């Protein structure tokens, strides 16, 4: 059923649009409706004033969870990233320090080995010099005489061998350094052969090798002079197989 209102003596019916507007205003509580009534003997005037709805602002102390979580997550992510970067830098620094320490240790080890090698080399050189400076010892027998003579011959580039010298000594004197021949032609001529290799005095004097005594009966001097003579006449004492 539609309701009728008297406005200035006329009856008006509220349209559906009016009903909706009035209901909305009543519901929001933000509209003020004023009616003006006139005496019964006069025309009735009704004035309707509708106030524009005012939007209410809602305030809340409750945290906005979504925004807070997003910011917190971002801050946590940034903090984690910073920690990771710092950890990587620390790890890199520690690795570099370890590498440097290892290199220093290797260098120190190499230097120590080098010094030890140099010390050993110097010790060996000193031992060699000492050995060279010290006179070589030889036994005072036929073997020692031959070996000492061979060392002297080697210094003077005079060829000879142990076997060749020993073989001729045994044939000429049987190893007796004081042996002397008093019956051969040399003895008859007044210059008998003497010593291990039966050398006559003129030959000994002519082929005497420096570094040996000038004594025809000295075993080393006798062997060395005889080998020098044999090298000059026969190429080497090894080529002598009989009286020479």
């Amino acid at each position: 059923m539609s309701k009728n209102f008297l406005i200035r003596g006329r009856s008006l019916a509220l349209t559906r649009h009016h009903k909706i507007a009035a209901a909305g205003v009543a519901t929001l509580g933000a509209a003020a409706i004023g009616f003006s009534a006139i005496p019964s003997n006069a025309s009735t005037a009704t004035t309707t004033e509708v106030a524009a709805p005012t939007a209410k602002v809602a305030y809340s102390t409750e945290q906005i969870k979504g925004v807070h979580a997003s910011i917190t997550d971002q801050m946590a992510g940034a903090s984690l990233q910073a920690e990771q970067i710092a950890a990587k830098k620390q790890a890199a620094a520690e690795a570099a320090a370890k590498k440097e320490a290892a290199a220093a240790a290797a260098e120190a080890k190499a230097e120590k080995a080098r010094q030890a090698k140099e010390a050993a080399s110097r010790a060996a050189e000193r031992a060699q010099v000492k050995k060279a400076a010290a006179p070589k010892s030889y036994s005072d027998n036929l073997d020692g005489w031959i070996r000492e003579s061979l060392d002297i011959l080697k210094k003077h580039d005079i060829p000879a061998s142990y076997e060749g010298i020993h073989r001729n000594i045994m044939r000429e004197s049987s190893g007796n350094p004081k042996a002397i021949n008093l019956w051969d032609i040399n003895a008859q001529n007044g210059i008998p052969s003497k010593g291990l290799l039966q050398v006559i005095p003129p030959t000994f004097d002519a082929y005497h090798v420096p570094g040996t005594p000038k004594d025809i009966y000295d075993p080393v001097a006798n062997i060395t002079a005889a080998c020098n003579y044999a090298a000059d006449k026969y190429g080497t004492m090894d080529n002598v197989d009989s009286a020479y």
Side-chain angles (χ1 to χ4, degrees):
M1 176 183 292
S2 63
K3 294 183 181 180
N4 296 329
F5 293 90
L6 290 176
I7 300 177
R8 293 182 183 178
R10 292 179 294 187
S11 178
L12 296 176
L14 289 177
T15 65
R16 184 180 179 185
H17 176 73
H18 292 153
K19 292 176 181 178
I20 293 171
V25 171
T27 303
L28 294 172
I33 303 175
F35 296 94
S36 299
I38 59 173
S40 59
N41 60 349
S43 61
T44 302
T46 301
T47 304
T48 303
E49 294 180 0
V50 179
T54 303
K56 292 184 178 180
V57 178
Y59 295 92
S60 175
T61 58
E62 185 179 354
Q63 251 181 351
I64 304 174
K65 295 181 179 179
V67 175
H68 178 271
S70 177
I71 293 173
T72 302
D73 291 344
Q74 291 179 12
M75 291 178 66
S79 177
L80 179 60
Q81 187 176 11
E83 289 178 0
Q84 290 175 345
I85 291 172
K88 286 181 180 180
K89 288 183 178 179
Q90 181 66 21
E94 289 177 358
K98 286 181 180 179
K99 186 176 181 181
E100 186 177 351
E107 185 177 354
K109 185 177 180 181
E111 177 63 18
K112 187 176 181 180
R114 184 186 66 80
Q115 291 178 356
K117 185 177 180 180
E118 288 182 354
S121 178
R122 288 192 296 269
E125 288 177 0
R126 287 193 297 269
Q128 188 67 26
V129 170
K130 186 177 179 181
K131 183 179 179 181
K136 188 176 180 179
S137 61
Y138 303 92
S139 57
D140 189 21
N141 53 33
L142 182 58
D143 177 76
W145 302 331
I146 295 174
R147 292 186 185 282
E148 184 176 355
S149 179
L150 282 170
D151 286 342
I152 296 171
L153 292 168
K154 185 178 181 180
K155 291 178 182 178
H156 294 275
D157 294 323
I158 300 172
S161 71
Y162 187 99
E163 188 278 331
I165 295 173
H166 186 271
R167 172 168 44 83
N168 280 283
I169 286 176
M170 297 309 293
R171 186 187 65 251
E172 295 292 335
S173 65
S174 299
N176 179 11
K178 301 297 183 180
I180 182 172
N181 187 323
L182 298 175
W183 55 267
D184 66 0
I185 188 63
N186 290 321
Q188 294 175 14
N189 292 331
I191 47 172
S193 302
K194 300 177 180 180
L196 289 173
L197 283 169
Q198 293 293 283
V199 182
I200 59 175
T203 299
F204 177 82
D205 293 337
Y207 289 94
H208 173 261
V209 177
T212 61
K214 266 208 168 183
D215 179 3
I216 198 169
Y217 286 111
D218 180 86
V220 175
N222 188 281
I223 294 171
T224 307
C227 286
N228 190 22
Y229 169 76
D232 183 43
K233 298 298 182 180
Y234 307 101
T236 175
M237 180 64 76
D238 296 354
N239 296 330
V240 178
D241 290 315
S242 60
Y244 58 103

